[in-house]
Amino acid sequence: MTLKPGRLAFQALLLTAAGACAAGTITCVPTPSSASAPAHWIRRIAIDEHSRTVNMDIVRSRTKDTETMGKMRAELLNMDETQSGEPVYVFNASPAVGAEVTHLFKLFKAGEWRLIAANVSFAGKVPALRGVESNVVFDCKRSDLG
């Protein structure tokens, strides 16, 4: 079978397009926590690798009897691959108008999926670390359907 240069270029273009569409999504929810630990404030993370966006369902406020849910959008800043082939996602959520805190996140797999978050506030243009949350275990599912 012989391939003409035009046909070969077309097939290469199709393979390149298929590779670009292979970027998928990953959706994560916190694993069931123990009865003594309060539920985490992030209830769901959805990362779209192609558009480099992260959408999170979060608890905006909590009282003894109720929780007010909300949404937070973040930008996927970096996506590296570990030696085991699993991705490491780094993303941030810029504060809403009037808010003072930027949230920085790192989602990675170390046996199980873990999320580390840090809160940074800015006084003028000077950043100050407000707090680092201990890592939380998440249950993540990948979809390569893009």
Side-chain angles (χ1 to χ4, degrees):
M1 178 178 168
T2 60
L3 293 175
K4 296 180 183 178
R7 183 179 178 132
L8 185 60
F10 179 71
Q11 288 177 340
L13 178 65
L14 286 177
L15 286 174
T16 303
C21 292
T25 59
I26 183 166
T27 304
C28 305
V29 294
T31 58
S33 57
S34 64
S36 63
H40 195 263
W41 68 280
I42 298 176
R43 296 299 172 84
R44 188 174 79 69
I45 302 170
I47 300 172
D48 184 333
E49 296 170 353
H50 180 70
S51 67
R52 301 189 64 82
T53 57
V54 181
N55 292 303
M56 295 178 276
D57 294 339
I58 62 168
V59 176
R60 290 253 179 235
S61 63
R62 184 180 292 157
T63 65
K64 182 180 172 185
D65 299 322
T66 63
E67 293 180 337
T68 303
M69 299 300 292
K71 302 244 182 234
M72 181 183 285
R73 188 175 171 107
E75 178 184 2
L76 183 59
L77 301 173
N78 195 8
M79 185 177 65
D80 286 331
E81 198 171 285
T82 62
Q83 290 179 346
S84 65
E86 294 291 347
V88 174
Y89 300 100
V90 177
F91 50 99
N92 74 338
S94 297
V97 176
E100 301 173 357
V101 177
T102 297
H103 300 281
L104 306 171
F105 301 96
K106 180 177 180 181
L107 180 67
F108 60 99
K109 191 165 187 180
E112 49 200 2
W113 285 97
R114 296 186 173 273
L115 179 75
I116 297 175
N119 305 318
V120 178
S121 63
F122 289 86
K125 293 187 178 189
V126 179
L129 183 63
R130 278 183 95 173
V132 176
E133 297 178 21
S134 59
N135 65 46
V136 178
V137 177
F138 276 77
D139 180 23
C140 298
K141 304 278 188 257
R142 289 193 56 81
S143 167
D144 291 327
L145 300 177

